[in-house]
Amino acid sequence: SGTPDVPPPLSMLATYTVNGKRVEPEDLVGSNGSIDLFYDVTNTTSQQQTITYEDGSGKELTAVEDVPIPMAAQIQLVLPRGTTSGVEAKGAEIVTQPNGDLLVVWNTVFMPPIGSLTQTFSVHVRSAEDFRLGEFRVIGSPIAPSQKEYSQYASEVLGGDKADALS
């Protein structure tokens, strides 16, 4: 247990605009007007590996490629009740929680060709008054085939033993 000596498998960069102008995170809280939130989430597990494959004629070829661990993820954003109206988030489910907060949820895969290694999740708030931002969560898990070679690779990239890397 503890903090691993490897970077997290998913990283995030957040940017914000108020009334079309980019603002720093500390200037977002308390804002009024139109607000856009952008979250760039990246699968950071790619490592160079030598791969062998057959081309269309059956000839065996070898290449060195960046190979990521396939990751499934859920991205969650909470917008506290009473501060926003007209919330839109492409590709997301927006649910009103029992306490009145809005929960914005995206489900995605970070593995080409199904999903890019870096994806942008955005929220547009048509109107905000004294804007507050709730929790933002990135919950990811490797999509793990049971092959021994993959288990070893995931363990090396994610740190820890094989059981930890795939659980």
Side-chain angles (χ1 to χ4, degrees), residues 39-104:
Y39 300 97
D40 296 324
V41 181
T42 301
N43 178 339
T44 62
T45 64
S46 290
Q47 289 191 352
Q48 285 199 336
Q49 281 194 322
T50 302
I51 59 170
T52 304
Y53 60 97
E54 289 184 7
D55 68 8
S57 66
K59 181 180 175 187
E60 191 172 278
L61 301 173
T62 301
V64 176
E65 296 289 337
D66 285 333
V67 178
I69 295 174
M71 299 289 291
Q74 185 173 84
I75 288 75
Q76 302 175 354
L77 170 66
V78 176
L79 296 172
R81 66 179 153 76
T83 64
T84 62
S85 65
V87 175
E88 300 169 0
K90 184 177 178 182
E93 297 291 328
I94 301 175
V95 183
T96 302
Q97 297 186 54
N99 67 356
D101 290 352
L102 292 182
L103 176 63
V104 182

Side-chain angles (χ1 to χ4, degrees), residues 131-142:
F131 183 77
R132 290 175 293 139
L133 189 58
E135 291 182 72
F136 184 88
R137 299 179 199 98
V138 177
I139 305 160
S141 178

Side-chain angles (χ1 to χ4, degrees), residues 103-126:
L103 176 63
V104 182
V105 179
W106 295 267
N107 293 298
T108 192
V109 174
F110 292 91
M111 181 63 190
I114 299 168
S116 300
L117 292 179
T118 297
Q119 298 178 38
T120 300
F121 304 92
S122 62
V123 177
H124 174 69
V125 177
R126 194 169 344 129

